Each structure stands twice: as structure tokens, then as C-alpha cells.
Amino acid sequence: SPNPVSTSQTLTIGFKNTKPGLYQIRLISSSGQLFYSFQKQLSASSETAQIHLNKNMNPGTYLLQIIDERNKMIQTSKVMIH
């Protein structure tokens, strides 16, 4: 189910049972525009990452993707931004 967040907020991504390593986190709009892409080094399985949302982002549904070191998508979820 989508996580509702407003554009003035920070989106917190929880990693559960994720192996330590380097991950790429992407936030993509419904029209396919890439808003964020950054790498996060996980050293523990219960870390979180944060995305500071941009006030210029249009409200709507965004796709959050997490990709591992082997370029395999390990998580994809919808985020509602209002």
C-alpha cells in the first residue's frame, strides 16, 4: 500500500532483512521521470535511508525502487506525494 507523504517531508525507507552492501535507491514519477537516484551503503540489516523531498515535485504517485549491487531490483513500492 502506498505511503502518503507531503512534499515538505522526508521519505524514510526502511531496510529489513537486507544484506549489507551497496544499494541504489531511485524515486521515479508516474510519467517515468527520475527524481532521485543515490547510493546507500548498508552495514546492518535494519538501517534506514532518507530522501528529502523537493517542493517542486508534483503531487501524485511515485515509484520507489531499490536495486542491489548485481543490478537486481529487490524492492519496488508506491509512494503517494501530496
Side-chain angles (χ1 to χ4, degrees):
S1 61
N3 295 329
V5 251
S6 77
T7 53
S8 58
Q9 289 180 325
T10 301
L11 178 61
T12 302
I13 304 149
F15 293 88
K16 289 193 182 74
N17 309 321
T18 307
K19 290 192 302 238
L22 189 65
Y23 292 86
Q24 186 173 25
I25 299 164
R26 291 184 193 156
L27 190 63
I28 299 167
S29 73
S30 54
S31 61
Q33 186 181 359
L34 183 65
F35 268 93
Y36 285 93
S37 178
F38 67 95
Q39 292 188 317
K40 167 81 175 170
Q41 181 75 45
L42 289 188
S43 52
S45 61
S46 58
E47 280 191 49
T48 59
Q50 291 191 327
I51 295 177
H52 297 286
L53 297 175
N54 188 329
K55 292 194 172 49
N56 302 333
M57 291 175 76
N58 293 322
T61 305
Y62 288 76
L63 207 56
L64 180 70
Q65 299 177 336
I66 300 174
I67 296 146
D68 72 7
E69 290 171 324
R70 293 189 295 265
N71 219 24
K72 184 168 160 256
M73 182 119 35
I74 58 160
Q75 189 180 320
T76 173
S77 55
K78 284 185 177 163
V79 181
M80 284 292 293
I81 293 177
H82 57 82

